[in-house]
Amino acid sequence: MEKYKKRSWAEPYKIKVVEPIKMTTRTEREKALMEAGYNTFLLKSEDVYIDLLTDSGTNAMSDNQWAGMMLGDEAYAGSKNYYHLEENVQKYYGYKYLVPTHQGRGAENIISKILIKPGMFVPGNMYFTTTRLHQELAGGTFVDVIIDEAHDPVNLHPFKGNVDIDKFDALVKKVGADKIPYITIGVTVNMAGGQPVSMANLREVRSYCEKHGVRVVFDATRAVENAYFIKVREKGYEKKSIAEILHEMCSYSDACTMSGKKDCLVNIGGFLALNERDVFEEARNMVVVYEGLHTYGGLAGRDMEAMARGIEESVQWDHIRARIGQVEYVGEKLSALGIPIVVPVGGHAVFLDAKAFLPHLKQIEFPAQTLAAELYLESGIRSMERGIVSAGRSKETGDHYYPKLELVRLTFPRRVYTQAHCDVTVEAVDEVFDRRKSIKGLKMVYEPKYLRFFQARFEKL
Ligand code: F0G
């Protein structure tokens, strides 16, 4: 690694196919934004210039993956691509059993239904929207046990995703371990800014859970990105490969849910992977109700092949270094301009701190939603709110959750945009920053019941 120190990274691939993108005028964007109710999820992709909404399913596949698509075995049962995927999940993630699902939330639904009974509690290192909702729909209550540093956008802790064992222990003492079917550990933690969990913390949580008979279930959606941070930040892991680190991480868990649309470098796909035979049998039975037969789980054979190949590519050092290098590049440029972002910069995105960016707005005026809308208006760049709108409402009181973090996420699809796109993004954010004092907030005029951030509508105050 020393060799790389003074070299700037470059994309470890060249471009073979291009997809033209359209630039729009400000008038066109004003109209599009009004029609979308100031919600970037409701914009048409056609009206977007640089799409930083999400890294989910937006990745560019390699020629090797596309070649694999032609080898799709579209048999209803026993597709050979299923066995290839199973082999690679076992090899790289290390779990014994695989249940494919159409995407991450399909796996979350199944594990929640099997393990959570009404009245139970599910601790986790910060919530994720779909994960918490499935836990709640199964009758569980989510409890946040992440370290306090995670809620502070400027705290420089290298592993802000870590579980606070004292908080976890307090929950176990309060409700009893028999009321806790498992702890969910997000590696990395999306809502905290793509922040990683250290190997030491994973080991510690594992030994605590073994003592108390609580399972560990990973949300492994960005586990390869987490492995990268362990390699570059945690003592003793400098010389280990990403694959070795990933394997060790997963060895401290009993199961994982996976959105293959991120780390696995595909456009659709996910899985549930497990080590316990009886839970696997139940999951394999349930997947036929909600997703499809247990050897395809809602996916085409070609999708499973692309995911199997994507897993192999995802653990390559050149890939992951450039992937996170790009995100860090944008973060460093924004920081240098004095623009408030979550630090350290995480794995999949740069998160603008909307509270610090628009300090004159109250949280109920939706600062992050406002900032995402303004950035689109300025430049055609699409980002995502990760604040009070995403947090939703408490199922007990019906009131909004008021999360400490009120963020706008500039999320980078893997292998899609160039450094020039990154530069334009920085320039656009800086232009919004220059006129921040004149920006007014929003009011919510339509609110769907579940995962409201996807479809809520707003008007200018
Ligand atoms: N867990 C994490 C940490 C995620 O980021 C996501 C999706 C899921 C689970 C659900 O997976 O979408 O395949 O059903 N995150 C996307 C995002 C939507 O934009 O962050 P899914």
Side-chain angles (χ1 to χ4, degrees), residues 402-432:
Y402 286 86
K404 284 205 183 117
L405 298 177
E406 179 71 26
L407 310 174
V408 169
R409 190 178 75 172
L410 305 169
T411 335
F412 289 82
R414 295 164 189 78
R415 310 191 290 206
V416 171
Y417 291 115
T418 65
Q419 191 162 324
H421 290 119
C422 293
D423 291 338
V424 170
T425 301
V426 171
E427 290 158 16
V429 174
D430 194 33
E431 271 160 41
V432 180

Side-chain angles (χ1 to χ4, degrees), residues 7 38 40 49 65 102 120 159 167 176 182 257 264 273 276 303 335 453:
R7 288 275 164 78
Y38 294 88
T40 52
Y49 172 42
Q65 285 175 291
H102 77 286
M120 286 185 159
F159 292 102
K167 287 186 194 170
Y182 59 89
T257 56
C264 304
E276 287 166 276
D303 298 327
S335 279
F453 55 96

Side-chain angles (χ1 to χ4, degrees), residues 54 103-105 108 128 130 190 219 221-222 259 262 409:
T54 175
Q103 58 183 84
R105 69 198 74 178
E108 292 167 356
F128 184 72
T130 58
N190 190 351
D219 179 341
T221 295
R222 298 182 184 84
S259 171
K262 284 80 165 178
R409 190 178 75 172

